[in-house]
Amino acid sequence: MTYPTQPEASHFIDGQYVEDASGTALPVIYPATGEKIADLHAATPALVDRALEAARRAQPAWAAMTGTERGRILRRAADIMRARNRELSELETRDTGKPLQETLVADATSGADALEYFGGLAATLSGEHIQLGEDFVYTRREALGVAVGIGAWNYPTQIACWKAAPALACGNTMVFKPSETTPLCALKVAEILKEAGLPDGVFNVVQGYGEVGAGLVSDVRVAKVSLTGSVPTGRKVYAAAAEGMKSVTMELGGKSPLVIFDDASLEDAVSAAINANFYSTGQICSNGTRVFVQDGIREAFLTRLAERLKAVKTGDPLDETTNFGPMVSERQREIVEGFIAKGQQEGARLVAGGGRLEGEGFWIEPTVFADVEDHMTIAREEIFGPVMSVFGFATEEEALERANATIYGLSAGVFTRDIARAHRFVAALQAGSCWINTYNLTPVEAPFGGMKMSGVGRENGRVAIEHWSQLKTVYVATGAVEAPF
Ligand code: NAD
């Protein structure tokens, strides 16, 4: 059977779609209905080798182009992505189940932003000059070589672009492995980059499960590995990369705090808590899933939240008025249901949701627990679904200590009208991305990444260049060479 969303082939290698039907079957399921929408295959070792070889072969010529030339291709790709936003957003919705209302503004558009931003930076890459009397030193900012990107399933287009754009801007080539759950969108990124003039072999996509990722990470041709995924996978990938002394970026999970003081704007705080827990059906790494609300406004917060939840609209994700989609997969729904059951067993008060929605697909209600205590499982572990935990607190000191009492350190938010407190609080938070009086905004201009177990390195912002390139120091002598004998 052929599906409208069936890609030309499973992989994109050396500028072309490539199939090898002997690879493990990789069915693609539309989360809103549970229907199959494409049949793909995981890459065989021979295809993985072909992709890495193509990337290795293409890299010197790509790095030898000027930054302006590389950047022009990336910026052209950004324009094509924007022009095709609707089509790409519909595919993203089919791949992930996220409502079109979201994907139209948050996925291909964010990918295009990254291609445009790093396309612009490509021409500015430079080293420095250090005068040492008559002698001098200069540094060259050079590419790392062949990079591997491995993606999670929640933002397949964005993740591919957030990795490819800085990698390619710096003169690296890439083999990207999307999540096995959402394999469709990265193929479009590859197609668009080719259309924009990217030389063959510079960006390749191979599909597969964890073992394909593991094969890529351990290959000697690979100089850099960038993973977006869970902490357990991050541990394995980091260890495997360390074996080959490869550079890494690890964008991992979180259990981030959102702290709301009595003096905050209640309406804005509720909006932020909704965005921080229910956007993308809660499947966002930086979500503020531990919502600490100061005692004076907690009941008002819960009341207003309950009212706002009445405006949740489920239904066909391709209908632009739908504002809440299904979980990405049956498996992810089961994981989230397990956490909801644990929350109830351990004594948290369920104040909204908690159940499945009737019908086909992997739907689950937006869920809120109140009276959550720090020792409970739902307070400590990443759920990666639409489950908000609300905690009480009395003082700033208490909120800070409890906000930081986690192995994770991806993100955090604070709501207060007291500007001194806002900055003091944020300075003491152990989290890579913090927001004051908002939540979950991640523009490409701002560095993004985790502290503690949430990751290593940063994506986005100028600083990403340092994670996708290396420095060479060149000492230049101008006089005679002295020697002891
Ligand atoms: P996951 O860790 O299960 O898988 C991530 C990717 O790693 C997949 O492509 C998978 O095939 C691959 N993989 C699995 N085992 C591997 C191995 N041994 N070697 C190499 N690759 C391997 O994560 P997921 O369930 O797809 O995504 C959800 C997780 O991702 C959550 O923890 C979430 O917080 C995290 N996430 C983080 C960010 C961020 O930027 N910090 C963004 C999105 C998602």
Side-chain angles (χ1 to χ4, degrees):
M1 162 151 191
T2 52
Y3 307 94
T5 31
Q6 179 74 31
E8 202 176 313
S10 299
H11 321 283
F12 195 95
I13 299 173
D14 213 2
Q16 289 176 40
Y17 272 105
V18 177
E19 192 59 87
D20 181 348
S22 69
T24 313
L26 205 154
V28 188
I29 306 295
Y30 182 36
T33 60
E35 285 166 297
K36 202 189 313 179
I37 56 165
D39 268 319
L40 271 57
H41 296 275
T44 55
L47 278 191
V48 169
D49 180 67
R50 211 162 125 187
L52 286 167
E53 209 37 43
R56 191 195 60 76
R57 240 188 355 256
Q59 199 270 327
W62 175 244
M65 285 167 70
T66 68
T68 306
E69 290 166 331
R70 287 196 303 271
R72 191 177 301 136
I73 293 170
L74 299 184
R75 285 184 291 107
R76 211 180 282 139
D79 291 344
I80 300 171
M81 275 197 132
R82 288 210 180 89
R84 288 171 58 178
N85 184 43
R86 178 158 290 271
E87 168 211 339
L88 296 169
S89 303
E90 287 177 1
L91 188 68
E92 175 98 16
T93 289
R94 291 194 165 92
D95 218 1
T96 62
K98 291 186 294 182
L100 190 58
Q101 187 187 93
E102 284 188 20
T103 55
L104 280 171
V105 296
D107 293 281
T109 53
S110 164
D113 285 354
L115 290 164
E116 185 169 24
Y117 178 80
F118 288 106
L121 277 187
T124 73
L125 304 182
S126 62
E128 64 177 336
H129 165 265
I130 304 153
Q131 196 66 41
L132 298 163
E134 295 289 297
D135 290 359
F136 62 96
V137 160
Y138 66 93
T139 59
R140 292 165 47 90
R141 187 157 286 284
E142 297 186 352
L144 292 161
V146 175
V148 162
I150 300 177
W153 41 256
N154 56 345
Y155 278 76
T157 305
Q158 185 189 82
I159 291 171
C161 292
W162 281 19
K163 297 191 189 309
L168 271 45
C170 291
N172 305 286
T173 54
M174 176 169 271
V175 178
F176 184 80
K177 189 197 84 64
S179 164
E180 57 272 33
T181 311
T182 54
L184 300 178
C185 300
L187 293 168
K188 288 288 164 200
V189 174
E191 246 181 55
I192 287 169
L193 282 163
K194 183 178 167 92
E195 191 184 329
L198 194 73
D200 293 348
V202 174
F203 182 71
N204 309 274
V205 176
V206 294
Q207 309 291 352
Y209 299 87
E211 71 208 23
V212 171
L216 287 168
V217 171
S218 58
D219 195 280
V220 292
R221 286 164 286 195
V222 173
K224 158 92 194 188
V225 177
S226 177
L227 168 78
T228 297
S230 62
V231 169
T233 303
R235 274 206 174 104
K236 283 188 227 156
V237 171
Y238 198 178
E243 199 59 39
M245 214 55 79
K246 300 177 205 293
S247 162
V248 297
T249 302
M250 294 281 143
E251 290 291 354
L252 309 177
K255 189 75 194 173
S256 301
L258 170 57
V259 179
I260 300 166
F261 285 95
D262 281 349
D263 66 345
S265 152
L266 181 67
E267 202 59 20
D268 288 336
V270 171
S271 296
I274 289 170
N275 291 339
N277 284 275
F278 302 130
Y279 200 73
S280 301
T281 316
Q283 303 163 115
I284 299 184
C285 52
S286 51
N287 269 356
T289 49
R290 291 186 296 138
V291 181
F292 292 89
V293 188
Q294 204 166 11
D295 293 339
I297 56 163
R298 200 163 61 260
E299 281 316 311
F301 174 88
L302 287 169
T303 304
R304 188 64 190 127
L305 179 64
E307 281 164 19
R308 296 274 299 268
L309 283 172
K310 291 186 194 134
V312 169
K313 185 167 182 298
T314 55
D316 179 2
L318 290 160
D319 173 347
E320 278 182 55
T321 64
T322 297
N323 59 22
F324 188 80
M327 300 302 302
V328 77
S329 63
E330 181 68 67
R331 161 133 187 77
Q332 192 61 23
R333 176 165 71 171
E334 283 166 8
I335 290 171
V336 174
E337 286 175 334
F339 278 109
I340 293 173
K342 265 242 149 64
Q344 289 175 291
Q345 283 157 23
E346 293 178 8
R349 177 164 59 103
L350 185 67
V351 294
R356 288 183 172 200
L357 293 172
E358 290 304 312
E360 302 293 300
F362 316 129
W363 298 84
I364 198 164
E365 291 173 312
T367 298
V368 180
F369 281 104
D371 304 340
V372 183
E373 290 171 23
D374 297 359
H375 63 85
M376 294 176 179
T377 307
I378 57 168
R380 289 182 289 107
E381 295 185 20
E382 184 183 47
I383 298 175
F384 225 58
V387 182
M388 184 193 302
S389 293
V390 179
F391 306 70
F393 75 92
T395 66
E396 181 180 329
E397 295 68 33
E398 179 199 342
L400 182 64
E401 198 191 316
R402 292 171 62 198
N404 283 337
T406 167
I407 59 165
Y408 296 106
L410 190 56
S411 308
V414 56
F415 268 77
T416 175
R417 287 196 173 97
D418 177 341
I419 56 164
R421 173 161 64 190
H423 295 290
R424 181 171 68 232
F425 200 81
V426 155
L429 282 170
Q430 296 163 355
S433 290
C434 295
W435 292 276
I436 295 175
N437 293 333
T438 189
Y439 204 85
N440 256 354
L441 299 180
T442 54
V444 68
E445 297 87 345
F448 180 79
M451 293 181 177
K452 293 156 74 177
M453 291 301 282
S454 291
V456 176
R458 291 291 176 269
E459 293 194 310
N460 292 344
R462 278 177 185 276
V463 72
I465 296 298
E466 286 171 31
H467 299 284
W468 286 105
S469 61
Q470 56 191 337
L471 275 190
K472 180 180 282 169
T473 300
V474 183
Y475 187 110
V476 183
T478 55
V481 178
E482 287 179 21
F485 53 85

